[in-house]
Amino acid sequence: MRLTLIKISALTATALLIGSCSSKPDEVTRIDALMAAYQGDVPGASVLVVHDGLPVVRRAYGLADLEDKVKAGSATNYRLASMTKQFTAAAILLLMEQGKLTLDDPIRKWLPSLPQVDQPVLIRHLLTHTGGLIDYEDLIPDGTSEQVHDADVLRMLSTEERVYFPAGTAYRYSDTGYSLLSLIVARASGVNFAAFLRERIFKPLHMDGSVAFEAGISQVSNRAFGYSFEDGAWKRTDQSLTSAVLGDGGIYSSSDDLLKWDQALGDGRLLKKETLALAFTPQNETDDRNVQYGFGWRISGESIWHSGETMGFRNVIIRYPTRRLTVVVLTNRNDPEPYPIALAIAKLYYPDADRVRAVTSVTGPDPSLKPLPK
């Protein structure tokens, strides 16, 4: 495999171009220009471009940790926020392939403490945000100072007799649904969600730095900390009340590990190709006329993608399966949104890559929440 190093002028940027289809220096320079705001002693970013299954750009900018001046790199692990949902969906699909569950199981089969009003809700409804369950963020009691966990989400929903709409009749983006899916994974597999991801996804794919982070139980290596720009300065805003909920947004990963994830999605190593086709097939419309939803993936024209936005982190992965192109942008800051940047990078390779784009941005569970009380 051919290795080419590109030297650039940005003080805190690093470059690694790998593979026989490496990007041209001009493309790298243009990517650097698109990422100019992330360069220097500011919260940074990691960028990955994959073409024909090979990484043609791995680039990092800025700092993963402002206080200790730790530079971002391709092995830096960012909180994925709602990009976690594609892994939660994959866990469900792995269990489906094993015959441990079906997509048409009522969720009360696995979570019987839920009220009778939730009986019509099926696993597939949670996967596609069509379950109608109440947002758990709105059920957190005022004055709560301890982080909420997935078990707490179930506890709050177990006394909630309302739904937004009958299951399967409408779409409403639901972190509640994906939190409950992580609990279903645990019940159906016999191991907790974090352990299932570790043993069934991360280890087999050698995603050695990726983790569903549990404070006091696991560690995040090469960790990026999240920041928000407030009153003219960057302030660490790394954790909020909902940061410990795993199923909807609790995974940390790097561009290095997401390369392995992307390759596995392309070659069927993890899931059967017919199962992946289910995940990547539009299952329903969303509240954006240009976006449909599969299982843990948004679908816009020929692209499948998902963003992840939470307090202190904004990320996106965009895949073009027929063109064998993937762009990943991971950042440890609250602004700007990286989706337009990722589209601009894709256009460097295919000028028409953004001909169908999302009109609205869907945020994650807690981009506007205050940090945990001290």
Side-chain angles (χ1 to χ4, degrees):
M1 183 174 291
R2 181 167 61 88
L3 177 67
T4 305
L5 293 177
I6 303 296
K7 184 177 181 181
I8 63 170
S9 59
L11 178 62
T12 57
T14 59
L16 182 61
L17 305 184
I18 299 179
S20 59
C21 52
S22 295
S23 293
K24 299 174 183 178
D26 180 59
E27 291 165 347
V28 176
T29 300
R30 293 165 74 181
I31 290 172
D32 289 341
L34 289 168
M35 302 301 296
Y38 298 88
Q39 299 181 31
D41 291 338
V42 295
S46 296
V47 174
L48 170 70
V49 180
V50 186
H51 192 248
D52 287 332
L54 295 173
V56 297
V57 174
R58 276 190 279 196
R59 209 133 180 99
Y61 307 86
L63 301 178
D65 181 337
L66 267 61
E67 289 74 19
D68 288 335
K69 304 296 183 184
V70 178
K71 293 182 180 181
S74 63
T76 297
N77 289 303
Y78 300 78
R79 185 180 173 211
L80 295 186
S82 287
M83 276 177 60
T84 293
K85 291 179 171 67
Q86 60 201 259
F87 292 94
T88 305
I92 290 288
L93 294 174
L94 281 168
L95 290 168
M96 181 196 74
E97 287 188 346
Q98 282 188 284
K100 298 283 189 180
L101 53 74
T102 77
L103 300 186
D104 292 317
D105 284 350
I107 61 173
R108 289 187 75 244
K109 173 181 177 179
W110 299 103
L111 306 173
S113 66
L114 289 171
Q116 185 63 37
V117 70
D118 295 336
Q119 180 62 30
V121 182
L122 310 178
I123 288 176
R124 71 170 62 249
H125 293 140
L126 300 189
L127 287 167
T128 57
H129 303 288
T130 57
L133 300 179
I134 301 299
D135 295 333
Y136 74 81
E137 297 92 341
D138 294 337
L139 302 177
I140 299 173
D142 291 340
T144 299
S145 59
E146 297 293 326
Q147 284 188 317
V148 175
H149 295 77
D150 294 283
D152 299 315
V153 173
L154 176 60
R155 195 155 38 246
M156 288 186 285
L157 266 290
S158 294
T159 59
E160 185 56 57
E161 296 290 343
R162 300 173 297 151
V163 293
Y164 291 123
F165 49 79
T169 64
Y171 168 92
R172 181 183 173 112
Y173 190 80
S174 177
D175 294 307
T176 295
Y178 271 78
S179 175
L180 296 183
L181 284 171
S182 72
L183 298 176
I184 292 172
V185 168
R187 300 280 175 91
S189 68
V191 298
N192 67 49
F193 181 64
F196 184 91
L197 291 178
R198 183 177 63 249
E199 298 301 322
R200 294 297 308 279
I201 296 179
F202 299 151
K203 280 188 176 180
L205 298 184
H206 303 287
M207 298 174 64
D208 299 327
S210 298
V211 61
F213 175 58
E214 299 170 286
I217 298 174
S218 55
Q219 298 291 326
V220 181
S221 61
N222 301 313
R223 180 174 177 174
F225 292 91
Y227 297 89
S228 298
F229 196 71
E230 298 178 1
D231 300 323
W234 290 105
K235 176 182 177 182
R236 184 178 285 198
T237 54
D238 187 70
Q239 294 283 297
S240 75
L241 289 175
T242 65
S243 295
V245 180
L246 298 184
D248 65 343
I251 291 176
Y252 281 76
S253 192
S254 67
S255 58
D256 280 351
D257 276 2
L258 290 174
L259 166 63
K260 300 168 186 176
W261 171 244
D262 180 70
Q263 290 170 330
L265 293 177
D267 62 22
R269 249 180 306 144
L270 184 69
L271 290 162
K272 297 175 182 178
K273 290 188 177 181
E274 54 268 30
T275 304
L276 283 170
L278 280 176
F280 300 153
T281 298
Q283 303 292 327
N284 51 266
E285 304 295 325
T286 72
D287 48 8
D288 185 323
R289 62 183 177 84
N290 285 329
V291 180
Q292 297 171 298
Y293 210 88
F295 295 153
W297 291 92
R298 298 187 182 110
I299 302 160
S300 301
E302 65 177 305
S303 70
I304 57 174
W305 63 283
H306 215 289
S307 55
E309 297 91 8
T310 187
M311 187 179 65
F313 295 92
R314 280 185 174 250
N315 316 300
V316 70
I317 178 172
I318 306 178
R319 304 183 72 244
Y320 298 84
T322 59
R323 305 186 192 227
R324 295 179 56 79
L325 176 72
T326 298
V327 179
V328 176
V329 181
L330 306 176
T331 81
N332 59 322
R333 56 168 66 187
N334 68 321
D335 195 63
E337 178 189 351
Y339 180 72
I341 295 174
L343 281 175
I345 292 172
K347 285 185 66 178
L348 298 177
Y349 298 86
Y350 295 103
D352 63 342
D354 69 341
R355 69 176 184 269
V356 177
R357 66 165 63 215
V359 173
T360 59
S361 173
V362 182
T363 59
D366 56 4
S368 61
L369 291 184
K370 296 179 180 179
L372 277 173
K374 298 292 184 182

